[in-house]
Amino acid sequence: MEGEGEQDGCPCGAVAADQFDRLPDAVLMDVFNRIGNVKALGRCALVSRRFHALVPLVDSVFVRVDCVIPDDLPQPPGSAGSQQQQAAVPPARGHGALAQLARLVLGGIARPIQALVQILSPAAAAVSRRSAPQPASPPAPASDVSHHSPSEVLRPFKELRRLHIELPTGELGIDDGVLLKWKADFGSTLGSCVILGALSVSSKPPSPSTSPETAADSSANSADSNREPEESGSLPESLFTNGGLKLRVVWTISSLIAASARHYLLQSIIADHAMLGSLNLTDSDGQGVLTMDKRQLQELRVRPISASASSHRTLMPALSMRLYYAPHVELPGGTLLKGATLVAIRPSEDSLREGGGAGAAGPAGTCWISDAFEEPYRTAAKVLLKRRAYCLEMNSF
């Protein structure tokens, strides 16, 4: 092999490099789009001038946020960061149980919202860089996300069409064993939100003689057998034991605030990328998913959001909610959800226009509810949708 290389008059490495350079730009762009990860793309941009010119043309990017930028950096009074911290916990107005519930909900997620601001806000990233030791030679724009906000990291990409951002954790701290998942879609305001919760999730080995189809039927029959009397149209008595209803209200409000905080902080990214047609913001815990499609992104560009006066989040419109509850739901594979609750939420204006509330238009109208989660929780949503729906209303907040 060495003799052949010397006979050709060039090292084998040079031959390989020349052959690689013959690849057309379209092939390289397909490779870069398949890579997707913003860190890997940043490293690719350092390989050569050609790669450096092509990487910003990638149209599909995945950003995994490594860590939360510390929010305990020294900040002078009156600074933007200080004002953010003061605004994060709005004073609760009113008296009695409702005010206590507001303090419980808003106080419990104030720190997570601050953390989300630190993750996604370019201003917070700038504060972090000023307080951290500066390297002798700065890295490439997309080579590191630990001390840069996603907004800054994504700025070099000029033709971005599909974007997926993953946060290190969900915003809502929940007790061990408790299930809480949500999925929300937004335009300039909330389009819909689905929340699935359970007091506990347990597993037991499935029976060898039980097929998945039989298990699913058994789950539905189990839920039906636990159905409480519904003639009065009131909420089941078991929902009121041990503060069950209050807890589910906390789950609902907390999930909505977490979703609206994510939406609010995506504005700069959406404004910087006019060609963006799909955006997903998830977390590594699998707790919450925020989605925006091409139509919703364009709606946000044309119609600015209404911001909450009390914190860094989008103002929630008046909402129409349908709550589905079962004391327990058994899923295929032996997963058992205790105190399972499904909440389907739409703006009241949309529900009135469609004439039927959150679950209007029959089975086709509930697809956005049942398809909000992956298995086995999709099956849980379908089981809960067979139960009675309890309608609730919530004012704008």
Side-chain angles (χ1 to χ4, degrees):
M1 293 296 292
E2 293 181 358
E4 294 178 2
E6 293 175 357
Q7 186 176 1
D8 292 339
C10 64
C12 293
V15 173
D18 291 341
Q19 295 297 328
F20 191 77
D21 285 343
R22 292 182 181 180
L23 290 175
D25 288 352
V27 173
L28 289 177
M29 289 304 304
D30 183 62
V31 172
F32 290 150
N33 279 311
R34 290 175 184 271
I35 291 174
N37 185 283
V38 73
K39 276 191 169 183
L41 290 172
R43 297 186 183 103
C44 290
L46 299 175
V47 171
S48 67
R49 291 182 179 179
R50 185 186 182 200
F51 281 19
H52 190 271
L54 290 177
V55 165
L57 304 180
V58 167
D59 62 20
S60 181
V61 173
F62 171 66
V63 180
R64 176 180 285 114
V65 179
D66 290 332
C67 61
V68 178
I69 300 173
D71 60 356
D72 55 357
L73 299 171
Q75 296 172 339
S79 66
S82 175
Q83 292 172 1
Q84 288 176 0
Q85 292 181 1
Q86 293 175 5
V89 187
R93 299 178 180 178
H95 303 279
L98 188 58
Q100 294 177 7
L101 180 61
R103 294 189 190 95
L104 173 64
V105 173
L106 297 176
I109 67 171
R111 293 280 294 182
I113 287 183
Q114 286 183 35
L116 192 60
V117 172
Q118 297 290 348
I119 290 173
L120 296 178
S121 169
V127 172
S128 176
R129 286 199 306 277
R130 287 198 300 269
S131 62
Q134 296 298 315
S137 58
S143 64
D144 183 65
V145 297
S146 296
H147 299 291
H148 297 76
S149 73
S151 179
E152 290 184 312
V153 172
L154 293 167
R155 196 160 288 132
F157 296 94
K158 307 302 181 184
E159 299 187 11
L160 194 59
R161 288 177 169 82
R162 294 177 296 277
L163 174 61
H164 182 182
I165 301 175
E166 182 184 276
L167 304 178
T169 59
E171 297 91 325
L172 308 179
I174 55 176
D175 296 334
D176 292 340
V178 173
L179 171 71
L180 181 58
K181 291 180 173 289
W182 59 264
K183 181 178 181 181
D185 69 87
F186 281 82
S188 60
T189 187
L190 179 71
S192 67
C193 183
V194 184
I195 302 167
L196 178 66
L199 297 176
S200 66
V201 182
S202 59
S203 300
K204 59 181 180 180
S207 173
S209 61
T210 303
S211 66
E213 293 79 7
T214 304
D217 293 339
S218 175
S219 301
N221 294 334
S222 176
D224 290 338
S225 66
N226 286 281
R227 192 185 298 270
E228 298 190 19
E230 298 174 346
E231 290 76 6
S232 63
S234 59
L235 292 170
E237 184 65 28
S238 57
L239 257 181
F240 293 92
T241 58
N242 300 321
L245 182 59
K246 177 180 177 181
L247 177 62
R248 286 160 176 82
V249 171
V250 171
W251 286 350
T252 301
I253 298 177
S254 299
S255 299
L256 287 170
I257 292 179
S260 63
R262 291 189 188 187
H263 179 250
Y264 179 86
L265 294 169
L266 288 171
Q267 291 180 88
S268 60
I269 294 176
I270 296 170
D272 288 342
H273 301 280
M275 301 175 68
L276 191 63
S278 172
L279 190 156
N280 293 313
L281 180 53
T282 62
D283 55 74
S284 60
D285 295 339
Q287 185 181 90
V289 178
L290 182 149
T291 66
M292 299 183 72
D293 59 24
K294 184 175 182 179
R295 176 189 61 80
Q296 292 168 325
L297 289 163
Q298 184 59 29
E299 177 187 319
L300 178 58
R301 296 185 185 102
V302 174
R303 186 191 308 168
I305 68 170
S306 298
S308 170
S310 59
S311 59
H312 298 269
R313 63 177 183 84
T314 301
L315 185 69
M316 286 284 102
L319 300 173
S320 174
M321 301 184 291
R322 288 195 172 192
L323 184 148
Y324 305 83
Y325 168 79
H328 69 265
V329 173
E330 185 175 346
L331 303 178
T335 301
L336 183 66
L337 305 183
K338 181 180 179 181
T341 308
L342 180 71
V343 184
I345 306 170
R346 296 285 300 276
S348 297
E349 181 180 344
D350 292 350
S351 297
L352 290 173
R353 183 169 57 248
E354 295 171 5
T366 61
C367 287
W368 61 276
I369 304 175
S370 58
D371 294 343
F373 308 105
E374 300 294 332
E375 293 293 359
Y377 302 114
R378 177 176 297 179
T379 296
K382 291 180 178 179
V383 170
L384 286 164
L385 279 171
K386 296 178 181 179
R387 299 184 63 84
R388 180 187 178 92
Y390 300 93
C391 298
L392 305 170
E393 299 287 336
M394 182 177 293
N395 293 331
S396 175
F397 65 95

